[in-house]
Every structure is written in C-alpha cells, then in structure tokens.
Amino acid sequence: MKLFKCQHCQLLLFFENRACGRCGHTLGYIPDKNELSALQPAGGIEWTALAVPGRFKFCDNIVYDACNWLLPADTHETLCTACRHNRTVPDISDATNLENWRKMEFAKHRLFYTLLRLHLPLSNRTDDPKHGLAFDFLADSSQGDEKILTGHDEGLITLALTEADDAERESRRTAMHEPYRALLGHFRHEIGHYYWDRLVDDQQKNAKFRALFGDERENYSEALKRHYEKGSPPNWQQNFVSAYATSHPWEDYAETWAHYLHIVDSLETSRAFGLEVHPAITANQELHTDVTIDPYRAKTAQQLVDIWIPLTYAMNAMNRSMGLHDIYPFVLTPAVVTKLSFIHSLVHEFALEAQAAA
C-alpha cells in the first residue's frame, strides 16, 4: 500500500486513520483518486478535500466507525464502493459483534484497495445480480448449535465473525496446523474463488488452469474430506504454496491468488518506504534487493518474486527478533512461481481488455 500524509501538516498517516494525530483534521479516503485526504466541513454532510477538488460525503458506515471512505456529494448512493457489497452484517447492537465487524471491515477495505488498483471487476449484487460480489458477516448461534464457516458460493463470500477474535483465530490456527492465519488472508483467499469464476471459467483458460493446478471437476466435498482425514501428500512443498492448497485445484488456486495479493500489496508498501536489503551472506554471495518497481506495473510475476524473496528473509528475521512467528512462513518453489505467473497474466490481461473496451 502507498504511504499517505496529511495535506495540512504533512504527518505520516495510515490507511485506517479517521483523524490526523497532529492537526486534528478529519480524514477520508477517496477511492477514485487513491488519496487519504484531510477534509474541511462544507455544510451539512458535505466536505471539501485538501487533496483534490470537489465535494464529498462519508459512507453511511462512518457512524459505526467501520468505514472512512468518501463518495461524491451529489451521488444518490449512501454506501461506498466497498460497503455496497455487504449483503448481511451482524447484530451490531451487541458490542462484541460491532467490534468484530469493524475488524472485518478494516481487512475488507484493504482488500478492496488492492482490487481497485488491479482494475479487477467489482460489480455488486444490485448492479449485477448474476455475477455480483456480496459479503455475509455472520455470528455463531447464541445457543452454540450452529457454527458459521467462512467460504465462497457463486459470488457470495461468508465470513465467520468469530475469526475477528484474536484468541479464537490463534486457536484455530494451531488446531489446523496453519503457519499463517489472518483476517486479510481470509479475504484474499475467498476472493480468489470469486475471481476463478470471473476470470478462469472458460474453455481456453480452463485448459491452462488444469495443466498447472489439476482438474477442478474432481468432487470437491470428497477431496476436502480426504484432506482432513489423511493430510497432505509427501513432499507437497515442491508444488504447492501451502498444505491446504493440496486439497483441491480450486483451493490451490485460491491459496496462490492470496499469495499474489500478499506480494503485490507488501511490495508497494516496501517501495513506499524505500526499503533495501543488502546483507553480506558470504564473501562471494549477497542476498539483496531494492524495492523500486511498481508491483502493479510489473511485466512478469518472476520480477515480483525476485524482489519478494530477499525481502521475506528480512521480514522474518525482524519478527524473530521480536519473538514472533515468521511473518511469511512459506516457500515459493519454481512450480509455485509458475502458478503465480498464471494469475499475474490473468489479472493483467483483464486490465488490458477493460482499458480497450473503455
């Protein structure tokens, strides 16, 4: 993600900030301009932005402190481009539900930042009932007889609200032997299933997909049952980015898609901070990288990976210095990089086709 600063006092800001900690200006994100802007009241619900001309209003979810995105003041819409995809939100009269939903929204808005930067299709169910994307944020039954499972079904992504509880998520991470489990990771994985439907599911692309990931026509339920009963095959690390990716070709694709988004967003952040990695490994070998490339304009996935791998060594070392788990506990083998290249090509082919159509 890019770095933002207050246009009034130049203080460094984070994407989720609602107000500048130095000068106190109210802040709002303008998705069309990719700007987090300091604001001035303009009467009623309207604001003027210091970053760009025009008048704006906040998404209605600002009242729950669940969104800081802006819309043009003259639009009839009341929800921002990210919140318009919400089909179901939990009972927010419950304070725990409200706090967990806020955490979910913070992660979802970071997801949408990347999807918008990649120019991927983002129709909602109102504009496109057949192909639109929607989210259900659901809490477990109060009687404890119904456990919500996170998943995707033909454009509808269900998020189990309990995943926003740090202790519960860590418990599940340990129980399922997962080296990484995060809210943003859930969103990136599930949106991968959605974009399989939108970008892959045709005869020509299916053939390429099956050559890399396997035949998705394999019975999905039986594949998952086998995975949970028998685990991953020996030496799975040679061809898959995670153990869960071995369960079914759809899951392999979704896991690889999530990693592509991890890489792109993290490299943009690293570039914004001007990060360089130059440790001397041996007298004749160095592990080095300068994050100067715009990851959204990279010509190949290999370009991204060549920068990413040295950076992950540094990030993991920093986490270990703080006594934490590795921030990126994965290995990108040549087979996985080939799968990432497939996803990179899909994303950029769509962007070019969309520009040509426009």
Side-chain angles (χ1 to χ4, degrees):
M1 181 169 287
K2 67 178 283 187
L3 289 184
F4 301 99
K5 63 180 181 180
C6 176
Q7 292 80 19
H8 181 259
C9 70
Q10 309 306 304
L11 181 69
L12 180 68
L13 303 173
F14 292 100
F15 184 60
E16 294 82 7
N17 286 157
R18 279 25 178 190
C20 177
R22 176 184 292 164
C23 68
H25 270 72
T26 298
L27 303 172
Y29 180 69
I30 308 170
D32 292 344
K33 303 299 182 182
N34 191 22
E35 287 289 351
L36 183 64
S37 181
L39 305 172
Q40 297 277 18
I45 63 171
E46 296 187 11
W47 301 79
T48 57
L50 301 189
V52 297
R55 290 196 173 200
F56 301 90
K57 62 182 180 181
F58 274 104
C59 171
D60 273 2
N61 282 334
I62 187 69
V63 300
Y64 308 112
D65 194 25
C67 179
N68 66 339
W69 286 29
L70 297 167
L71 303 85
D74 58 359
T75 182
H76 70 280
E77 299 284 1
T78 59
L79 297 174
C80 71
T81 189
C83 291
R84 284 199 294 272
H85 290 79
N86 292 354
R87 192 182 79 157
T88 307
V89 298
D91 176 10
I92 53 178
S93 65
D94 182 294
T96 300
N97 283 352
L98 176 58
E99 180 59 26
N100 286 339
W101 177 53
R102 283 173 180 155
K103 293 178 182 178
M104 289 280 192
E105 285 294 344
F106 294 164
K108 191 193 79 181
H109 281 66
R110 278 192 169 252
L111 169 72
F112 270 70
Y113 171 93
T114 305
L115 301 180
L116 290 168
R117 296 280 279 117
L118 289 171
H119 305 289
L120 288 166
L122 271 175
S123 56
N124 57 55
R125 287 292 175 98
T126 300
D127 298 334
D128 186 352
K130 182 178 180 180
H131 297 116
L133 172 67
F135 294 88
D136 281 350
F137 299 92
L138 302 179
D140 290 341
S141 167
S142 59
Q143 286 76 34
D145 56 355
E146 181 184 359
K147 294 293 184 183
I148 302 299
L149 299 178
T150 293
H152 168 267
D153 183 20
E154 297 185 352
L156 175 62
I157 294 176
T158 300
L159 280 304
L161 205 64
T162 188
E163 286 282 353
D165 182 279
D166 295 338
E168 176 63 25
R169 191 173 61 256
E170 177 63 14
S171 174
R172 294 186 182 191
R173 187 191 71 80
T174 302
M176 299 180 74
H177 307 289
E178 294 179 347
Y180 168 91
R181 192 178 183 96
L183 284 182
L184 186 52
H186 282 317
F187 277 100
R188 287 171 172 167
H189 173 98
E190 298 304 336
I191 205 73
H193 288 298
Y194 173 71
Y195 283 119
W196 189 92
D197 292 343
R198 296 299 307 273
L199 304 181
V200 180
D201 193 14
D202 68 50
Q203 187 173 354
Q204 181 179 4
K205 290 176 181 175
N206 263 346
K208 295 179 181 178
F209 169 84
R210 288 169 186 162
L212 292 174
F213 296 88
D215 193 335
E216 81 287 353
R217 293 170 293 187
E218 175 189 6
N219 186 284
Y220 181 74
S221 297
E222 291 181 3
L224 288 188
K225 181 180 178 182
R226 181 178 64 249
H227 172 74
Y228 286 120
E229 288 179 351
K230 299 183 178 180
S232 302
N235 301 319
W236 62 264
Q237 295 93 337
Q238 295 300 313
N239 296 296
F240 300 91
V241 74
S242 71
Y244 187 58
T246 68
S247 62
H248 187 276
W250 279 336
E251 297 303 340
D252 188 10
Y253 178 84
E255 285 287 87
T256 309
W257 176 280
H259 280 261
Y260 182 77
L261 297 191
H262 291 336
I263 291 169
V264 168
D265 192 25
S266 298
L267 285 182
E268 186 185 26
T269 304
S270 303
R271 179 176 184 247
F273 276 99
L275 294 186
E276 300 180 10
V277 178
H278 295 284
I281 305 301
T282 69
N284 300 314
Q285 178 188 3
E286 287 189 356
L287 178 70
H288 63 85
T289 187
D290 297 331
V291 189
T292 57
I293 190 173
D294 181 349
Y296 294 100
R297 296 179 179 273
K299 293 182 179 180
T300 67
Q302 188 65 57
Q303 282 183 296
L304 300 176
V305 171
D306 288 344
I307 301 170
W308 176 243
I309 290 177
L311 192 64
T312 63
Y313 280 103
M315 293 192 300
N316 287 344
M318 289 295 292
N319 259 34
R320 293 186 185 194
S321 294
M322 292 294 294
L324 301 173
H325 298 295
D326 284 353
I327 193 170
Y328 191 75
F330 305 97
V331 177
L332 300 182
T333 63
V336 173
V337 173
T338 300
K339 294 175 182 179
L340 287 167
S341 296
F342 175 80
I343 290 172
H344 180 84
S345 296
L346 279 180
V347 169
H348 287 269
E349 284 173 13
F350 177 85
L352 290 174
E353 291 171 359
Q355 290 174 4

